Amino acid sequence: MTKVMAVNAGSSSLKFQLFNMPSEEVITSGIVERIGMDDGIFTIKYNGEKKTTTCPIPDHQVAVDMLLKALVEEGVVKELSEIHAVGHRIVHGGEYFSDSAVVDEDVVAKVEELCELAPLHNPAHLVGYRAFKEALPGVEHVFTFDTAFHQTLDQERYLYPLPLEYYTDLKVRRYGAHGTSHKYVSEQVIEMLGKPRGSRVIVCHLGNGASISAVLDGKCIDTSMGFTPLAGVMMGTRCGDVDPSIMPYLCKKLNKTPDEVLDIYNKKSGMLGISGISSDSRDIENALFHDGDERALLTGLLYARIVSKYIGAYYAELGGCDAIAFTAGVGENAAYLRRIIIDDVSKAFGVFLDEELNSVRSSENRVISHQYSQIKVMVIPTNEEVMIARDTVRLLNL
């Protein structure tokens, strides 16, 4: 068996799973949170037990060292040399990468170059990579890019109607995000459909960040996120698509700089901005059903309408639809939002939920549509880490 570590480093967090490959058995998993703070949290799960430690975790190097030390102390591995490779999630690969890549100096340089397109993500990924590289000398690494799955978009879908030289000279175009999740979920759906030719799948990755994709015969033909992960549907704190003229208007009215307004777009909008309650759909759901909060209701209705508009657009682009799949934190768990979204498109497309199936909470792939629905509706728990592990094994021939 080959042991592969799959890593997802954020600006202040580091998620991990250690796999036995090719069986894809999860040996251990966990997360380091609040990196850079005195009350950092390290959680590791192994043999059905979960252990949590709170202590200062000043940087990612300390987080990685804590993780690797715990692997030995908890008996997950006898020695670190048992780890054969490390795969890393990278949000932005630009036009450079249409597949995952074995890491070398050129790959690192390209990811660094793209930091300005994903300033909240790519720098953190590189910090995590360098921390593991230092802690595990001689171990090979693979980068798996969120943008790679969307590189099959054609020009009429990835170009913006701006002067063309902004694309040719400055690389301004639609890149998309969450591609690793969209690829995994669409593959699972196609498998559940019986691998038909020309399958038409709409994937709704709805978490704190959210994006929709149209997948034709296993290839992405369109996606909602754009030049950055700010674009597309409404999200936890991000606004998604808004009229560009709002930016200079708010700058003048609020006496703020474009960067300050952009910060509002990214961190104070979306569900948080509309509800005034939280960016977490669970808090909004609680306020709606327990307190009858009108802004919570408005948030759910607005969110569902925006998502359903993309479903309608992608139905047209795909020439129909065989399945709509919900995934990620909101998509997998917020049954009431799934119901409102499907209700918004049910008359047009003949798609209907089975209310009993929709209300069931499960970690398994499942169909939640009514037997008479013309389109299957599914809930597919995403698994980006296993995709990272698979690509790492494939590219390193392990």
Side-chain angles (χ1 to χ4, degrees):
M1 301 291 280
T2 300
K3 290 184 173 63
V4 174
M5 179 71 77
V7 177
N8 184 349
S11 58
S12 62
S13 66
L14 190 150
K15 298 178 185 177
F16 62 90
Q17 287 192 32
L18 182 64
F19 291 90
N20 262 332
M21 299 297 285
S23 68
E24 300 181 357
E25 171 200 2
V26 178
I27 305 170
T28 186
S29 65
I31 185 171
V32 188
E33 302 173 274
R34 301 173 67 84
I35 296 173
M37 303 181 74
D38 291 336
D39 56 347
I41 304 170
F42 172 55
T43 302
I44 186 169
K45 300 176 184 178
Y46 178 60
N47 272 349
E49 295 184 4
K50 181 171 79 171
K51 293 187 177 180
T52 298
T53 303
T54 301
C55 63
I57 305 176
D59 54 41
H60 283 73
Q61 185 64 62
V62 172
V64 172
D65 290 342
M66 286 182 66
L67 161 59
L68 296 176
K69 182 180 178 182
L71 294 181
V72 177
E73 289 182 345
E74 298 296 329
V76 178
V77 296
K78 291 182 179 179
E79 51 188 34
L80 295 177
S81 60
E82 293 179 32
I83 300 174
H84 297 90
V86 183
H88 303 260
R89 176 205 178 202
I90 307 291
V91 162
H92 218 303
E95 291 187 319
Y96 291 125
F97 304 100
S98 58
D99 191 6
S100 298
V102 177
V103 183
D104 58 21
E105 290 184 3
D106 180 62
V107 170
V108 171
K110 286 183 170 66
V111 172
E112 286 182 325
E113 177 189 329
L114 293 163
C115 282
E116 63 181 343
L117 299 186
L120 300 179
H121 299 91
N122 275 29
H125 300 324
L126 288 170
V127 169
Y129 158 69
R130 290 184 173 117
F132 271 97
K133 183 182 179 184
E134 181 175 332
L136 297 172
V139 171
E140 289 193 278
H141 299 256
V142 166
F143 284 170
T144 296
F145 301 93
D146 271 4
T147 48
F149 184 58
H150 305 307
Q151 285 298 298
T152 49
L153 270 63
D154 56 29
Q155 279 198 323
E156 67 186 71
R157 289 182 172 92
Y158 71 67
L159 284 178
Y160 291 110
L162 297 167
L164 190 60
E165 58 266 27
Y166 293 174
Y167 165 64
T168 56
D169 298 346
L170 303 175
K171 303 303 180 186
V172 175
R173 54 158 286 180
R174 182 181 304 279
Y175 290 103
H178 300 135
T180 308
S181 174
H182 285 286
K183 183 179 181 182
Y184 174 82
V185 171
S186 59
E187 287 179 354
Q188 294 290 302
V189 170
I190 292 168
E191 185 79 25
M192 292 174 69
L193 290 174
K195 299 182 179 179
R197 284 188 179 182
S199 58
R200 302 162 299 178
V201 178
I202 297 172
V203 178
C204 301
H205 177 107
L206 307 179
N208 189 50
S211 61
I212 319 293
S213 67
V215 183
L216 180 62
D217 205 19
K219 292 184 178 181
C220 183
I221 64 166
D222 211 345
T223 191
S224 61
M225 279 186 170
F227 181 61
T228 72
L230 177 60
V233 300
M234 174 180 170
M235 306 176 218
T237 62
R238 282 171 266 179
C239 59
D241 293 338
V242 296
D243 185 336
S245 297
I246 294 173
M247 169 69 80
Y249 177 81
L250 290 179
C251 287
K252 292 176 184 177
K253 289 292 185 180
L254 302 176
N255 194 28
K256 292 183 179 295
T257 67
D259 283 343
E260 287 174 328
V261 174
L262 189 63
D263 191 64
I264 294 170
Y265 282 9
N266 270 300
K267 299 178 181 178
K268 299 178 181 179
S269 302
M271 288 186 168
L272 174 62
I274 297 297
S275 71
I277 298 166
S278 173
S279 62
D280 192 316
S281 68
R282 292 170 295 187
D283 297 333
I284 296 169
E285 182 176 0
N286 184 65
L288 173 59
F289 290 105
H290 287 204
D291 306 327
D293 189 280
E294 290 186 2
R295 286 180 65 175
L297 174 61
L298 175 62
T299 302
L301 293 174
L302 178 58
Y303 186 91
R305 184 190 63 81
I306 294 171
V307 171
S308 66
K309 282 179 67 176
Y310 270 95
I311 290 174
Y314 290 167
Y315 181 98
E317 284 199 71
L318 290 165
C321 182
D322 300 306
I324 299 168
F326 290 95
T327 193
V330 177
E332 294 170 29
N333 298 299
Y336 85 104
L337 283 176
R338 292 195 301 259
R339 184 181 68 249
I340 301 171
I341 291 166
I342 295 302
D343 280 351
D344 281 352
V345 296
S346 62
K347 290 182 180 178
F349 306 134
V351 55
F352 307 100
L353 291 184
D354 181 307
E355 285 300 329
E356 185 175 343
L357 294 176
N358 183 49
S359 65
V360 172
R361 298 181 72 92
S362 171
S363 59
E364 302 295 322
N365 294 348
R366 61 196 189 277
V367 175
I368 60 170
S369 47
H370 193 277
Q371 60 177 327
Y372 298 119
S373 178
Q374 295 179 32
I375 301 172
K376 288 190 181 298
V377 182
M378 302 177 182
V379 177
I380 310 290
T382 193
N383 195 334
E384 294 165 300
E385 287 78 15
V386 78
M387 296 297 281
I388 294 170
R390 288 173 184 174
D391 280 0
T392 300
V393 169
R394 172 174 60 86
L395 291 172
L396 296 177
N397 295 312
L398 296 176

